[in-house]
């Protein structure tokens, strides 16, 4: 710059008026002098500059205004040196004439110089036009010099000086005159140069890429905005719109395309750029400035197709010479562009007529089409909020100029309508609603929104772009358009007829289509990967907590509807949320426009007809097509209900006219939908592949895909209706509860999860504490449905599974158990020989259900027995208290008038009263017993009925050729015996109570018959047959069942049957392990059979069976029923039979266990065992006399015993056992 100043002379000051000037002069003159003296010392000059800056801030402003030239003179000299050296260094030369200004080399000195200059501008004011020209020239020079610095601080100070110049002008008493002069055509070059400096700064930072400064870029655009607001003259700024707008759009374009490390991507910088652009449009293209020249522009032709943003920038801006001129103006000349063709070549003004405004707004709109959509997805909410401000400016203040390109900014508001930031979304909604249905036709945007909604619907996949980012924006646009239009315009425009309704629903349902990812459809259950049906079933009978590592509380919190895995286009939860929001708004609009529900019924009826057509046609992938419509129906009803507004999210911000449907309307519509959902042909579809029946893996996976939204729809409907869903009059829950419970044990983990989550949703919305309570309160409906299905097992193959789930889920049997006797009887009919041949799979399910029924019977019997026992004890305590009470005489004896006759009469009456009282006590106690029996008789009868059914059913299944069937049958038999034991114990409690009071009235109680002994008698023949014919793994189960029967036996029922039936079968198993077919094989032939077979695997199996038999005998000998079963006659025979297994050819392990078993048998009847052992010992020679005096036999002694002949070996074993029993014998 060409500085035009010299060292000022001492000002003439009046003593009365210029005291402030004197103070300022005295404070600043020494600092200025010191700065000039130390101009070659960088450190000294910097200290002087720091002192000058502090002094400028401390002296009175009026005084500084008088002597500010004193401060500017040294600053200008240093600035000239800095500029000369900078320009010389760019050319590779030395700066001439500045050898005595060496301090200018250091950046630190330059920083302090700029800071002092800024302080001078902020603390002084401009006195006139000439001063204004000088200030403009100086400040422009400072800013130009600072821009070329590598220091971010220096560049920042240069821009701050431009901002300080505005304050310098505003502080002037002649600010209006100066502002008018600045807007004149004569000062246009200077003004243009000032406006170009921030733009030049911004472009430099942008082109620097990652090396650019975000802070400098932000300050550049904020400075430009300040100057635009200060000038606020469309004629003065119009010529410079192309260059200014080019820099602004360049920043916005780079912010959307480059990474976050670049300067242009800085969020605050982008905000400032958008704000500056908004201010530029307000100043130049506001309606107040354009109305006079563009009265008819609001109805012009359609917008032209936009060019690429780079081409538009090149077309708008033709950059001329840049850099500082050393003239007073120092302005960068801007070339003319096509916007300014009507301007004279020497003028920096343009005529703002209709043609200029049209061309300018069109070009700016085209650039906005390329730039604004990119910024809609900026990471920072402040940037998206600034776009709303820009859109507001265009739509509300620049409607005339931008009448042909308003769609860009309407789309911007619609996308931000559902912004993640609540503040941004609320701002966008408020702005857009202000322009909808406005009385001013220039502000109305309803037609634009309607056309955009129509286009967005047609662009949905599969016809539109399936790219997730494009799809997300399109779905946001659809939802926003729907809410912006409101219920009535939305329904009347897009759902007025059946055809338009069908077309729109088809477009929306296309988004929800599911892909055939079959492995994902059959995936594991729960978050932790649990796929055990037992764990899921156990959850039904528990309160909310953790079971088997599964968090029921976490599953309980999952909201419905939810994102479905495996969707073709909605690949993530965010996309699903936006698509679901659009469908929910559609349902809410239909509910709001007609409170009687006709519009909602029309939508759901159309969707229902689509589903029926798909189910009837059953084309390829029909399950997935139906699933997409199920998802759509679920979301429609969810949106129409009140529950949507209670959730966090988009529904909360809906305006008041979006009224939800009434409860009556929802009940009516959900009832019709439930009729569709509850079809048996849908609910009974298999989810496990069965190649033998021609049902493959893909079909099973497609069924899983369809069943998930169908089952989850029940939970959604429960949320829509709340407690009304469980109302028995509506019969909604009864129709759905059985399929839900049945699918909890589904083979597919994902289907089971959907069923469980729906059950939990029903509990949550209908007021049940847990699933067990829900099942208990709807037990009658469940049992009715079970009986209906079990009567036709071929039509309902899943009925037995449902019965299993219901029985397994009930820990508390008081509610459900009294009703299951008939379903259990019907399930047992499936296990008859004729029915089993029809379908083996259904028979296995029926047997499993029967097993669960017997487990529930055990729980019921135990509970009844415990309750009866407690009540009996309470009655006994009450009776004892009454008996111990003192007996009062019913009459009194007057001793004064007593004689022998009166005394005799007195005692006769006394004894008669006492007898009557005792009789009354007996009658009351008997009545208490009868009341107790009557109270529990019904539950005892239910137990007895199920016991009879089970005993008649499971016994013949012991002989089944299927190992799984045999094992299940024996498990069921054991549970039957356990239940019978508790049943008998309950009867015993009542009988004991009656006998405690009086033995004469026991017959009056009509006691039920006991069940344990009849059950044992009925199961015994089938069990013995299974022992005789058993082979392989079934032998172990048969032995366990035999052991439990023996331990549960009462009286001497098994004493004779044990030795006649069971013991020979056990000896057979000891000999051949169940492999030899001949039942008449002698024990002596066993060795020959073993040698002939030479099968090591078979030998191991036989040894295992022998171990199980001996372990069973050990358990019987040490059990409570040993003395009743092992009577002396049986015990002696068993001892003689077992002696042969203590020698060869049996293994050493079997020999050792056999000797231990003989020792345990001695605990039952030691005398009988010793007698049998002595008899066996006396029949052979003594081959191991050295072992007689030992208490136990070692392995070497056993080997020695095994070398003799067979009678001798048995005798040796007998003597060895006798030796070990010397202690017990002597004690006896």
């Amino acid at each position: 710059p060409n500085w035009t100043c010299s060292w000022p002379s001492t000002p003439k000051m009046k003593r009365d008026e210029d005291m402030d000037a004197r103070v300022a002069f005295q404070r600043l003159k020494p600092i200025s002098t010191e700065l000039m003296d130390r101009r070659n010392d960088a450190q000294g000059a910097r200290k002087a500059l720091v002192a000058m800056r502090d002094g400028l801030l401390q002296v009175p402003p009026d005084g500084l205004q008088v002597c500010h030239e004193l401060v500017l003179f040294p600053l200008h000299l240093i600035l000239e040196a800095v500029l000369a050296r900078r320009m010389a260094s760019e050319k590779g030369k030395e700066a001439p004439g500045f050898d005595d200004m060496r301090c200018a080399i250091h950046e630190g000195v330059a920083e302090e110089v700029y800071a002092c200059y800024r302080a001078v501008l902020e603390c002084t004011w401009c006195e006139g036009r000439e001063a204004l020209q000088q200030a403009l020239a100086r400040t422009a020079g400072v800013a130009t010099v600072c821009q070329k610095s590598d220091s971010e601080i220096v560049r920042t100070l240069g821009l701050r000086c431009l901002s300080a110049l505005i304050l310098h002008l505003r502080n002037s008493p002649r600010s209006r005159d100066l502002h008018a002069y600045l807007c004149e055509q004569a000062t246009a070059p200077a003004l243009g140069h000032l406006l170009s400096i921030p733009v030049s700064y911004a472009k430099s930072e942008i082109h620097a890429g990652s090396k650019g400064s975000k802070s400098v870029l932000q300050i550049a655009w904020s400075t430009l905005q300040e100057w635009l607001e200060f000038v606020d003259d469309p004629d003065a700024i119009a010529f410079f719109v192309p260059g200014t707008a080019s820099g602004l759009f360049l920043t916005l374009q780079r912010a959307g395309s480059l990474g976050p490390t670049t300067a242009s991507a800085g969020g605050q910088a982008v905000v400032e750029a958008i704000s500056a652009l908004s201010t530029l449009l307000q100043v130049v293209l506001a309606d107040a400035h354009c109305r006079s020249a563009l009265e008819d522009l609001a109805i012009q032709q359609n917008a032209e197709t936009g060019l690429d943003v780079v081409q538009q920038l090149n077309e708008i801006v033709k950059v001329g010479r840049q850099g500082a001129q050393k003239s007073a103006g120092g302005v960068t000349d801007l070339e003319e562009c096509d916007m300014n063709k009507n301007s004279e070549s020497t003028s920096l003004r343009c005529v703002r007529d209709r043609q200029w405004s049209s061309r300018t707004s069109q070009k700016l709109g085209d650039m906005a089409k390329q730039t604004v959509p990119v910024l809609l997805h900026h990471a920072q909410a402040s940037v998206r909020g600034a776009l709303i401000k820009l859109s507001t400016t265009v739509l509300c203040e620049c409607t005339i100029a931008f009448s042909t390109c308003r769609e860009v900014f309407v789309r911007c508001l619609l996308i931000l309508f559902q912004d993640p930031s609540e503040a941004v979304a609320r701002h966008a909604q408020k702005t857009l609603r202000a322009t909808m249905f406005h009385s001013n036709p220039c502000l109305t945007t309803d037609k634009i929104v309607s056309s955009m909604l129509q286009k967005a619907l047609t662009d949905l996949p599969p016809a539109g772009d399936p790219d997730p980012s494009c799809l997300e924006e399109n779905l946001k646009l659809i939802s926003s358009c729907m809410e912006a239009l409101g219920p009535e315009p939305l329904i009347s425009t897009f759902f007025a007829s059946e055809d338009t309704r069908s077309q729109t629903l088809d477009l929306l349902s296309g988004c929800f289509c599911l892909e055939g990812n079959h492995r994902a459809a059959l995936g594991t259950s729960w978050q932790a990967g649990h796929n055990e049906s037992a764990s899921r079933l156990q959850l039904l009978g528990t309160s909310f907590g953790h079971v088997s590592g599964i968090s029921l509380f976490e599953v309980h919190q999952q909201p419905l509807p939810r994102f479905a895995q495996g969707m073709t286009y909605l690949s993530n939860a965010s996309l699903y949320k936006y698509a679901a929001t659009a469908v929910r708004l559609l349902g809410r609009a239909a509910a709001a426009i007609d409170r009687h529900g006709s519009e909602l019924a029309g939508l759901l009826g159309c969707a229902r007809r689509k589903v029926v057509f798909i189910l009837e046609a059953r084309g390829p992938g029909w399950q997935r097509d139906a699933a997409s419509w199920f998802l759509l129906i679920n979301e429609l009803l969810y949106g129409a209900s009140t529950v949507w507004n209670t959730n966090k999210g988009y529904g909360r911000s809906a305006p008041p006219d979006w009224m939800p449907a009434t409860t009556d309307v929802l009940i009516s519509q959900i009832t019709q939908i439930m009729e569709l959902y509850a079809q048996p042909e849908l609910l009974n579809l298999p989810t496990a592949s069965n190649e033998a029946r021609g049902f493959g893996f893909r079909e099973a996976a497609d069924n899983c895909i369809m069943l998930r939204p169908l089952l989850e729809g029940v939970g959604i409907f429960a949320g829509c209706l709340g407690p009304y869903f469980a109302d028995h009059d509506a019969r909604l829950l009864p129709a759905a509860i059985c399929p839900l419970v049945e699918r909890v044990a589904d083979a597919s983990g994902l289907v089971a999860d959907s069923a469980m989550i729906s059950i939990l949703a029903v509990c949550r919305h209908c007021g049940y504490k847990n699933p067990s309570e829900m099942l208990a309160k709807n037990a009658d409906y469940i049992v009715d449905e079970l009986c209906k299905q079990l009567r036709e097992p071929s039509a309902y193959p899943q009925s037995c599974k449902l019965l299993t789930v219901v029985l397994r889920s009930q820990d508390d049997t008081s509610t459900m158990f009294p009703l299951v006797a008939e379903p259990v009887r019907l399930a047992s009919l499936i296990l008859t020989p004729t029915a089993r041949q029809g379908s083996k799979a259904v028979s296995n399910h029926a047997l499993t259900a029967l097993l669960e029924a017997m487990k529930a019977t055990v729980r019921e019997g135990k509970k009844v027995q415990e309750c009866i026992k407690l009540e009996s004890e309470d009655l006994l305590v009450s009776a004892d208290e009454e008996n111990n009470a003192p007996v009062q005489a019913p009459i009194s004896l007057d001793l004064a008038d007593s004689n022998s006759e009166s005394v005799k009469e007195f005692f006769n009456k006394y004894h008669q009263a006492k007898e009557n009282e005792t009789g009354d006590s007996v009658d009351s106690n008997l009545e208490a017993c009868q009341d107790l029996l009557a109270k529990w008789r019904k539950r005892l009868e239910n137990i007895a009925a199920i016991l009879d059914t089970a005993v008649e059913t499971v016994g013949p299944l012991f002989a089944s050729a299927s190992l799984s069937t045999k094992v299940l049958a024996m498990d069921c038999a054991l549970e039957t015996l356990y239940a019978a034991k508790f049943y008998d114990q309950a009867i015993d409690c009542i009988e004991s109570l009656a006998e405690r009071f009086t033995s004469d009235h026991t017959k009056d109680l009509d006691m039920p018959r006991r069940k344990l002994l009849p059950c044992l008698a009925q199961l015994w023949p089938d069990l013995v047959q299974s022992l005789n014919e058993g082979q392989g793994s079934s032998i172990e189960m048969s032995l366990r069942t035999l052991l439990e029967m023996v331990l549960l036996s009462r009286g001497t029922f098994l004493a004779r049957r044990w030795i006649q039936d069971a013991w020979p079968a056990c000896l057979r198993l000891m000999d051949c392990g169940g492999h030899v077919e001949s039942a008449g094989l002698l024990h002596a032939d066993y060795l020959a059979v073993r040698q002939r077979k030479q099968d090591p695997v078979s030998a191991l199996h036989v040894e295992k069976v022998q171990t199980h038999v001996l372990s069973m005998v050990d358990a019987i000998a040490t059990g409570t029923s040993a003395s009743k079963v092992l009577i002396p006659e049986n015990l002696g025979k068993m001892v003689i039979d077992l002696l042969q297994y203590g020698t060869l050819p049996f293994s050493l392990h079997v020999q050792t266990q056999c000797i231990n078993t003989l020792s345990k048998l001695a605990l039952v009847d030691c005398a009988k065992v010793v007698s049998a052992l002595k008899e066996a010992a006396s029949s052979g020679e003594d081959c191991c006399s050295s072992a007689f005096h030992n208490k136990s036999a070692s392995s070497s002694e056993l080997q020695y015993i095994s070398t003799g002949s067979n009678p001798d070996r048995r005798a040796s074993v007998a003597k060895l056992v006798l030796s070990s029993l010397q202690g017990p014998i002597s004690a006896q």
Side-chain angles (χ1 to χ4, degrees), residues 496-778:
S497 64
E498 182 67 23
D499 293 337
T500 57
R501 184 184 296 122
S502 177
Q503 293 173 2
T504 305
L505 290 179
D506 284 336
L507 292 172
L508 289 172
S509 66
C511 292
F512 292 92
C513 66
L514 295 103
E515 58 188 9
N517 190 350
H518 302 104
R519 295 196 177 276
L522 295 174
T524 58
S525 68
W526 311 100
Q527 291 75 15
H530 292 270
N531 196 25
E532 299 86 358
S533 61
S535 298
R536 293 194 291 268
L537 292 173
Q538 188 179 2
L539 291 173
L540 287 177
T542 61
S543 58
F544 300 126
H546 286 77
V547 178
S548 301
I550 303 172
S551 174
L552 186 58
F553 179 78
E554 294 178 0
V555 179
H556 179 70
Q557 297 300 318
Q558 289 192 11
L560 289 176
R562 61 173 183 162
F563 167 62
Q565 296 287 345
M567 304 193 76
T568 305
Y569 304 113
L570 307 179
S571 56
N572 54 62
S574 177
L575 286 174
Y576 181 85
K577 181 188 73 171
Y578 295 126
T581 301
V583 179
R584 293 171 191 175
L585 278 172
L586 183 57
R588 179 63 62 86
I593 194 174
D594 185 2
R595 306 302 295 163
H596 298 289
S598 60
E599 289 294 339
L600 182 61
L603 284 176
L604 293 173
C606 180
R608 192 167 59 250
R609 288 189 292 273
K610 297 282 186 181
V611 175
V612 171
F613 177 78
I614 293 172
L615 297 180
E616 292 176 352
R618 297 217 170 189
W622 65 272
Q623 299 98 325
R624 284 176 274 128
D625 295 338
S628 64
W629 282 99
F630 287 149
L631 288 170
L632 184 72
I633 292 173
N634 294 343
E635 295 293 350
L636 279 173
L637 282 168
Y638 182 73
S641 67
T642 57
V643 70
W644 184 32
N645 283 347
T646 61
N647 293 338
K648 291 183 178 180
Y650 186 75
R652 171 178 290 182
S653 60
D657 54 342
W658 292 85
M659 296 295 293
T662 61
T663 303
D664 293 338
V665 172
L666 287 175
I667 291 176
S668 174
Q669 298 305 316
I670 290 177
T671 301
Q672 298 181 35
I673 297 299
M674 283 296 298
E675 293 177 359
L676 175 65
Y677 281 23
Q679 296 182 52
E681 55 268 22
L682 294 181
L683 296 175
N684 295 333
L685 287 173
T687 56
S689 60
N690 190 342
E691 300 295 343
R693 299 175 57 189
F695 190 77
F697 179 78
R698 295 181 179 274
E699 290 80 1
D702 285 343
N703 288 342
C704 293
I705 291 173
M706 186 191 67
L707 284 171
R708 294 195 67 192
L710 190 147
L711 294 173
E712 291 180 7
V714 177
I716 296 170
F717 301 157
C720 295
L721 294 178
Y724 292 101
F725 188 78
D727 188 0
H728 290 176
D729 293 336
R731 298 192 64 85
L732 293 174
L733 182 57
I737 189 170
C738 288
L740 288 178
V741 174
E742 175 187 339
R743 288 296 178 178
V744 170
D746 195 83
S748 169
L750 294 179
V751 173
D753 289 348
S754 297
M756 192 66 196
I757 291 173
S758 291
I759 288 177
L760 297 176
V762 171
C763 294
R764 181 169 61 250
H765 295 294
C766 297
Y768 299 117
K769 295 179 180 178
N770 49 51
S772 181
E773 182 184 358
M774 180 193 70
L775 297 180
K777 290 189 175 181
N778 295 275

Side-chain angles (χ1 to χ4, degrees), residues 342-357:
N342 57 352
S343 302
E344 297 181 1
S345 60
T346 59
S347 174
L348 296 181
R349 289 293 178 96
C350 58
V351 178
R352 293 186 308 106
D353 56 4
R354 168 181 166 180
Q355 183 180 5
W356 178 89
S357 297

